[in-house]
């Protein structure tokens, strides 16, 4: 059985709290965007990818994406309890989806392209789910094109931002003794 140190768990918690605060704010912004310009709603979905992307890129350990996503969901739900299922479910789902390619490679390959493939595929999966749930007949084709593009691109953009944040934290020496050296 693999043991995870308390420092790794606390690092996930710290990243999750920061990401959860950001996601809570993005959740309220999403409500505003849905009311004003619903075709741009997909921009906000990427905010859920940020904490898991930071944790995976910084710590490079199994399970940190899922744990951090869950903690971010808990924190986001504390600020928006009416969206508790949305925050918890999305945090867990996004953490698992981002972690999937690393799981497949048995956590031996941390190539940057794996982050973006995972984020893009996850965005497309979420886009397909909303397309089916909302029904294609309710909006014009131009609306769906923009809406689905935002769902696909936003996770990639926020994953890139998460990797940039993780690189900055690594340069500052934040996770020097926590990474596996891969």
């Amino acid at each position: 059985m693999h043991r995870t140190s308390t420092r790794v768990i606390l690092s996930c918690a710290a990243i999750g709290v920061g990401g959860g605060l950001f996601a809570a704010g993005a959740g309220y912004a999403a409500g505003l965007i849905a009311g004003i310009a619903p075709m741009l709603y997909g921009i906000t979905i990427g905010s859920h990818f940020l904490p898991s992307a930071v944790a995976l890129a910084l710590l490079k350990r199994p399970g940190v994406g899922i744990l951090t996503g869950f903690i971010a969901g808990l924190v986001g739900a504390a600020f928006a309890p009416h969206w508790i299922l949305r925050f918890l479910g999305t945090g867990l789902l996004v953490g698992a989806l981002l972690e999937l390619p690393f799981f497949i490679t048995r956590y031996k390959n941390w190539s940057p392209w794996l982050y973006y493939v995972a984020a893009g595929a996850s965005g497309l999966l979420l886009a397909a789910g909303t397309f089916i749930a909302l029904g294609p007949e309710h909006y014009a084709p131009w609306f769906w094109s923009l809406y689905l593009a935002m769902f696909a691109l936003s996770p990639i953009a926020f994953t890139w931002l998460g990797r940039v944040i993780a690189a900055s934290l690594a340069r500052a020496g934040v996770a020097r003794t926590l990474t596996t050296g891969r």
Side-chain angles (χ1 to χ4, degrees), residues 78-105:
F79 289 92
H82 53 286
W83 289 327
I84 189 168
L85 294 178
R86 172 186 171 207
F87 279 114
L88 290 178
T90 305
L92 285 170
L93 177 65
V94 165
L97 290 173
L98 274 182
E99 203 157 317
L100 184 60
F102 304 108
F103 174 77
I104 291 170
T105 63

Side-chain angles (χ1 to χ4, degrees), residues 6 31 33-35 46 49 61 76 89 101 104 116 119 142 148 150 157 162 166 175 180:
T6 303
I33 290 171
F49 286 73
R61 290 182 176 262
I104 291 170
Y116 301 117
W142 69 266
L148 297 175
M150 294 296 113
T180 59

